[in-house]
Amino acid sequence: MTQLSSGQIVRFRDDGYLVLRQRVSAADCAALRAVVSDDLQIAAAPVEYEADVGYAGAPATRDAPGGRTVRRLRGAWQRHPLLQQWAADPALVAMLGQLFGQPVVLNLAHHNCVMTKHPDLGTATGWHRDIRYWSFTDANLITVWLALGREDAGNGGLQVLPGSHRWQIAPDQLDALDFLRPDLARNQALMAQGVTLSLAEGDVLLFHSSLFHAAGTNRSGERKFSVAFAYRGADNLPLAGSRSAAAGEVALG
Ligand SMILES: O=C(O)CCC(=O)C(=O)O
């Protein structure tokens, strides 16, 4: 499959996300897992540790127990040709082009990483929009999330709030890290709409940068690996002087 159907395009627009089943072969996933496992073994820089995320329940410092657990292998595009090959996969780029209606650009400032959620030591992530720390002309970016193994409620798989990319959220509904505050009744009503996604190895999730999503802890006994890249349409420029403009981009056509 190299084209999204009109039904898939409508689903993405309505729900703010779309799951593409079995986009990447088992052999390619295994090759990617081998690359990232090797890098994880030696914590090949640049990495982000659990202590760096600042999430609820995360170790306060790198020297605290579990503090040096790698959460993200950063610089995925720069890390290995196989990761580049995936990020620039022509069929993927063609689908993103359909959703943006214009040429596609990979932004290297955001995501551009392999998420590695550790069993026990990997912290949960609250409900948030990826766009919260990103600076572009508009919020229409797409995160592409490749599951390198099974992802579900048992190992900290993603949950989404369908349609939330179109919700108006007041500033007081968010905490200091721009997570939806779980203590507010009106947020609880929103969170109750959460859907836990079940992804298999090689499945790909596309989601709008304003879609609220969250993830739990990994209770499976095995690391979870997911590759995440962020894309924009060619017209949606990063704001000059912002972090979004600072790390370079790749025009994919
Ligand atoms: O795997 C997780 O905990 C969620 C990751 C995530 O949503 C993010 O980094 O934006």
Side-chain angles (χ1 to χ4, degrees):
M1 183 183 63
T2 55
Q3 286 261 300
L4 296 177
S5 67
S6 52
Q8 286 175 307
I9 293 172
V10 169
R11 270 215 310 285
F12 181 84
R13 299 224 188 293
D14 286 350
D15 295 342
Y17 71 97
L18 184 67
V19 177
L20 306 172
R21 300 287 176 197
Q22 297 188 303
R23 276 293 324 155
V24 178
S25 71
D28 287 350
C29 286
L32 283 166
R33 272 199 314 275
V35 164
V36 301
S37 300
D38 286 353
D39 277 12
L40 182 62
Q41 195 75 30
I42 56 168
V47 299
E48 182 177 24
Y49 293 108
E50 283 291 338
D52 304 334
V53 297
Y55 299 164
T61 67
R62 288 188 179 182
D63 291 329
R68 281 176 209 279
T69 305
V70 173
R71 171 72 171 223
R72 295 186 177 92
L73 294 165
R74 292 210 171 278
W77 172 266
Q78 295 90 340
R79 215 167 252 283
H80 197 276
L82 282 183
L83 287 159
Q84 276 193 20
Q85 209 170 297
W86 162 242
D89 175 69
L92 172 67
V93 172
M95 292 178 197
L96 293 170
Q98 287 180 277
L99 294 175
F100 287 126
Q102 50 183 274
V104 177
V105 176
L106 171 70
N107 183 277
L108 297 177
H110 303 305
H111 287 318
N112 186 18
C113 72
V114 181
M115 312 266 181
T116 69
K117 191 167 279 187
H118 187 284
D120 310 325
L121 298 174
T123 41
T125 307
W127 290 104
H128 67 284
R129 290 172 153 158
D130 282 346
I131 196 68
R132 64 193 166 150
Y133 300 141
W134 302 0
S135 307
F136 292 85
T137 311
D138 65 57
N140 186 24
L141 285 92
I142 295 175
T143 294
V144 175
W145 180 283
L146 165 62
L148 291 183
R150 181 185 56 81
E151 301 198 12
D152 55 28
N155 68 348
L158 287 176
Q159 301 156 260
V160 296
L161 295 177
S164 59
H165 58 309
R166 289 182 272 106
W167 292 353
Q168 297 294 326
I169 296 292
D172 70 337
Q173 288 178 264
L174 302 171
D175 69 13
L177 293 178
D178 281 347
F179 289 120
L180 276 181
R181 287 174 50 193
D183 57 312
L184 299 184
R186 65 190 154 137
N187 283 352
Q188 289 161 10
L190 300 178
M191 293 171 189
Q193 300 173 38
V195 170
T196 301
L197 301 177
S198 268
L199 302 179
E201 176 190 79
D203 286 353
V204 172
L205 168 70
L206 312 181
F207 62 97
H208 191 283
S209 59
S210 291
L211 184 82
F212 275 101
H213 57 287
T217 52
N218 180 355
R219 288 170 282 107
S220 73
E222 278 176 27
R223 281 249 190 196
K224 179 169 78 61
F225 292 109
S226 338
V227 183
F229 285 106
Y231 300 80
R232 66 174 175 86
D235 290 352
N236 187 15
L237 297 175
L239 302 186
S242 69
R243 193 164 71 84
S244 301
E249 297 195 297
V250 185
L252 297 172

